Amino acid sequence: MRRTVLHEVHRTLGARLVPFAGFEMPLVYTGIREEHQAVREAAGLFDLGHMGRLVLRGRDRIQLLDWVATNRYQGLEPGHAHYALLCQPDGGVIDDIIAYVLPEECLVVVNAANHQTVLAWIEQQRMARGLQAELLDRSEQLAMLALQGPRALAILGGLTGLDLAAIPYYGIAEGELAGVRMLLARTGYTGEDGFELYLPAEHAVRIWQVLLEQGRPCGLLPCGLGARDTLRLEAAMPLYGHELSRQINPYEAGLGFAVRLDKEAFVGREALARIKEQGPRRRLACITCEGRRIPRQDHPVLAGGRRVGTVTSGTFSPTLERPICMALLEPACAVPGTEVAIEVRGQLLPGRVGKRPFYKRERTP
Amino acid sequence: MSEVPAGLHYTASHEWARPEGEQVVVGITAFAVESLQDLVFIELPKLGDEVRRGERFGEIESVKAVSDLYSPVDGSVVAVNEALANDLDRLSRDPYGEGWLIRIAPRTSLPEALAGLLDAAAYRRLIEQEEHGGG
């Protein structure tokens, strides 16, 4: 089992550590609900050391990204990022990524479970296209932390001379924070404002402590994967292995915004164009349920006494105080207002398809 | 280390049993509550239901997972802690007190019903192993 550089810190904080994608990661420190609320109302600090951090260098790095990923990176100014899918030729999803364009290189953040697959896939594609680029795995050298929540900007702002407010959503800047040079990206996986920090691994423990200390008076809590999951689910953000897989295409997952069919050829383009034209055979829907039971992955979804789909992930929403889930449904049923029932261990849980997402923060101007 | 009160009887599946008169009060241990975290739902049997040692009598669900509840003794259910349905915090707060689950009238004599369950020391060893071995 692999450990992040913050492993001892998590133990000292009394975290419950669980295996996740080959890493021993904190599931919860004090309570999932408490940590969830901290992110919604104040701030939460996450160790994301399990994610893969890849660096792409060389003359053709943007061309390579544009070939393997569905979004368009050509023309994106350094200091900005796009969310994208890596697709197979048939449109099935290999991984979802965030790629940040920096002045000299690109930083590509991939899911822990797909880390090695993606490394191999991109390298294979680079060779096949004869592109001049180099893909480096920087996961050991670069620590990754996330500071998320409405107070994130104020907490970080007190520690850096960088004008953080000037970094747009999906922007990234290099600067010094508490004496350490790092990358600060305005991205996250919680539905709140916040930042993801990429810094030399040897400084991670100290920066974690500095952020905790600076944030505690504002209500910041260290947060584990449990809260990360409830937060992303309320924000209806996909999780690979649930809403995304090689058997699910981006249109089914409602991620058409990240597919740029109007750019030059890329892996999966023909298949995706066809799927878009014909319309996907199923669509991801957000369902809010009655009662207290939690719909979970693979539970059947019924409508009018007939099976119409399958739950991809579910939880008990701390914000709505209701069970919620995402499910892949027949397109006709994936419409807000549709009454459904979810079969949870032999019992039917009534639910209703609603708008996506379940939770949306009020954006500050 | 989670609280393991002396004088109670325990199962390896983290239930406790406390004799009261001729009956047995059943709950889940502080260790179980701490492992589950963030409880959202509990399903308990009905009055008069028969339960058997080692067999499922209900389930408890947390944000992360669902777990079955196993009866420590054979018998019939004579009381159910109905208050838990709307307030699982009682269970998180006080698993050995107001968080009790059910009361069972054992099918056999009390000593027979409780024979073979773990005492506090044995249960404490078990959870120490789970904490260290189970990671």
Side-chain angles (χ1 to χ4, degrees):
Chain A
M1 196 70 63
R2 298 174 66 191
R3 293 171 168 179
T4 75
V5 287
L6 291 159
H7 187 262
E8 277 310 313
V9 173
H10 302 320
R11 288 187 75 99
T12 308
L13 286 167
R16 204 166 135 225
L17 298 160
V18 295
F20 182 80
F23 281 85
E24 203 178 344
M25 294 299 292
L27 173 67
V28 54
Y29 298 85
T30 49
I32 294 175
R33 258 176 285 200
E34 210 179 316
E35 294 165 24
H36 180 106
Q37 271 340 105
V39 174
R40 289 279 177 257
E41 287 158 16
L45 181 60
F46 300 80
D47 173 14
L48 302 183
H50 59 297
M51 305 286 289
R53 280 86 70 195
L54 314 179
V55 165
L56 203 50
R57 288 188 181 152
R59 187 194 67 192
D60 302 332
R61 60 186 184 277
I62 297 288
Q63 243 177 296
L64 178 55
L65 258 185
D66 269 333
W67 170 250
V68 294
T70 55
N71 218 321
R72 186 208 298 272
Y73 291 91
Q74 191 69 255
L76 187 63
E77 292 281 323
H80 295 269
H82 274 325
Y83 174 81
L85 292 317
L86 304 184
C87 287
Q88 311 177 127
D90 72 356
V93 177
I94 296 168
D95 200 13
D96 63 335
I97 64 164
I98 292 181
Y100 303 91
V101 176
L102 302 169
E104 304 290 326
E105 57 193 26
C106 299
L107 173 64
V108 183
V109 180
V110 307
N111 281 296
N114 298 326
H115 187 161
Q116 295 307 321
T117 313
V118 169
L119 265 176
W121 172 255
I122 297 179
E123 178 56 18
Q124 183 194 327
Q125 292 300 316
R126 184 197 67 78
M127 280 172 52
R129 304 290 289 177
L131 292 173
Q132 202 178 311
E134 189 185 8
L135 184 62
L136 305 163
D137 189 350
R138 283 285 176 260
S139 309
E140 298 277 330
Q141 294 87 344
L142 275 183
M144 178 174 178
L145 306 180
L147 207 156
Q148 300 278 304
R151 306 283 292 160
L153 183 66
I155 293 165
L156 290 170
L159 296 166
T160 178
L162 211 58
D163 181 7
L164 295 176
I167 303 175
Y169 187 54
Y170 267 70
I172 187 167
E174 190 177 350
E176 209 167 275
L177 185 135
V180 175
R181 276 206 87 72
M182 63 177 76
L183 292 164
L184 295 103
R186 204 157 189 177
T187 45
Y189 195 49
T190 61
E192 297 298 335
D193 187 18
F195 291 82
E196 291 176 314
L197 316 180
Y198 303 91
L199 60 145
E202 63 267 28
H203 297 301
V205 170
R206 192 175 68 79
I207 292 297
W208 172 277
Q209 305 290 14
V210 167
L211 294 174
L212 267 192
E213 215 166 286
Q214 182 86 3
R216 289 273 196 200
C218 308
L220 174 141
L221 288 181
C223 296
L225 293 181
R228 185 164 159 86
D229 194 53
T230 55
L231 289 159
R232 71 96 193 166
L233 248 161
E234 284 188 350
M237 291 171 163
L239 173 61
Y240 196 88
H242 291 258
E243 287 71 37
L244 293 172
S245 75
R246 289 180 185 253
Q247 283 72 46
I248 301 171
N249 68 59
Y251 292 108
E252 293 174 322
L255 300 172
F257 70 88
V259 181
R260 295 296 298 263
L261 293 174
D262 56 345
K263 69 172 182 174
E264 281 177 39
F266 61 94
V267 183
R269 187 177 186 280
E270 287 73 30
L272 290 168
R274 203 160 48 240
I275 292 162
K276 189 182 183 191
E277 196 194 312
Q278 294 169 352
R281 288 184 297 110
R282 41 189 194 166
R283 277 180 197 277
L284 197 67
C286 287
I287 303 172
T288 307
C289 300
E290 306 288 328
R292 308 280 301 177
R293 278 178 188 234
I294 298 178
R296 297 183 193 268
Q297 185 166 35
D298 296 332
H299 286 168
V301 182
L302 307 143
R306 189 171 69 76
R307 178 151 185 186
V308 296
T310 305
V311 172
T312 51
S313 32
T315 193
F316 192 82
S317 160
T319 304
L320 304 175
E321 295 190 307
R322 302 271 291 272
I324 58 170
C325 68
M326 290 196 273
L328 281 168
L329 303 183
E330 292 176 4
C333 296
V335 180
T338 307
E339 304 280 350
V340 296
I342 294 156
E343 200 182 317
V344 179
R345 297 183 302 286
Q347 291 188 10
L348 290 179
L349 193 68
R352 180 196 287 260
V353 177
K355 284 199 187 120
R356 182 176 181 171
F358 297 99
Y359 167 86
K360 198 168 187 179
R361 78 187 152 99
E362 288 168 30
R363 287 190 192 246
T364 43
Chain B
M1 180 81 186
S2 314
E3 191 194 352
V4 181
L8 301 191
H9 304 263
Y10 296 89
T11 66
S13 49
H14 310 294
E15 290 85 10
W16 56 260
R18 184 174 58 225
E20 278 188 21
E22 289 303 302
Q23 298 178 340
V24 177
V25 179
V26 173
I28 59 171
T29 65
F31 176 80
V33 168
E34 286 155 23
S35 308
L36 287 165
Q37 293 268 358
D38 300 280
L39 305 175
V40 296
F41 175 80
I42 192 160
E43 183 188 68
L44 294 173
K46 291 187 289 295
L47 284 180
D49 280 2
E50 293 293 316
V51 293
R52 294 185 67 84
R53 177 187 280 206
E55 288 186 6
R56 178 186 183 281
F57 71 82
E59 66 180 34
I60 187 156
E61 180 151 19
S62 74
V63 169
K64 286 316 283 179
V66 189
S67 305
D68 285 328
L69 302 165
Y70 298 98
S71 180
V73 297
D74 289 357
S76 58
V77 177
V78 293
V80 175
N81 188 355
E82 305 285 359
L84 293 182
N86 294 314
D87 185 13
L88 273 171
D89 283 347
R90 284 166 191 257
L91 177 49
S92 317
R93 253 193 330 261
D94 188 10
Y96 301 107
E98 61 171 346
W100 65 280
L101 304 182
I102 56 173
R103 180 186 284 267
I104 298 171
R107 210 162 47 81
T108 57
S109 73
L110 207 53
E112 247 183 288
L114 298 171
L117 294 175
L118 305 172
D119 64 10
Y123 180 67
R124 200 171 287 126
R125 279 196 298 276
L126 178 96
I127 61 178
E128 269 167 22
Q129 277 168 7
E130 284 202 16
E131 270 173 353
H132 299 149

